[in-house]
Amino acid sequence: MKCWYAVYTHNRMELWARTNLWGRGVEAYLPRYHKRRRHARRTEWITAPMFPRYLFARADLSLTGGRLIGAAPG
């Protein structure tokens, strides 16, 4: 049975980790939002992860023993 798990990633590597999990056939969800960033009198809108360093993955760990998620880069 597939369950959802919170996956801890490297700093600012959430998108890379999500892509690697998708490549392994794992359903991954990374909630993001738009936030305003100001620097040197300039304002820009960026897309940032809602939970920094975390994403959510849905997998059946009884089949893989957790190696499928834990061994993915990022």
Side-chain angles (χ1 to χ4, degrees):
M1 181 174 134
K2 289 187 176 184
C3 296
W4 285 97
Y5 298 95
V7 179
Y8 188 71
T9 66
H10 290 283
N11 192 21
R12 298 180 187 243
M13 294 290 175
E14 299 91 357
L15 287 174
W16 186 53
R18 182 187 68 177
T19 304
N20 288 326
L21 287 174
W22 280 349
R24 293 170 183 250
V26 176
E27 183 181 351
Y29 175 63
L30 177 62
R32 296 186 290 173
Y33 71 102
H34 293 288
K35 77 175 192 177
R36 185 175 65 174
R37 181 172 64 178
R38 294 176 58 190
H39 178 69
R41 298 182 188 162
R42 198 176 62 170
T43 302
E44 61 185 0
W45 289 89
I46 62 168
T47 304
M50 191 172 291
F51 305 105
R53 298 187 79 166
Y54 285 94
L55 58 89
F56 302 96
R58 185 174 181 212
D60 188 0
L61 296 185
S62 64
L63 299 177
T64 62
R67 291 186 196 106
L68 187 66
I69 295 174

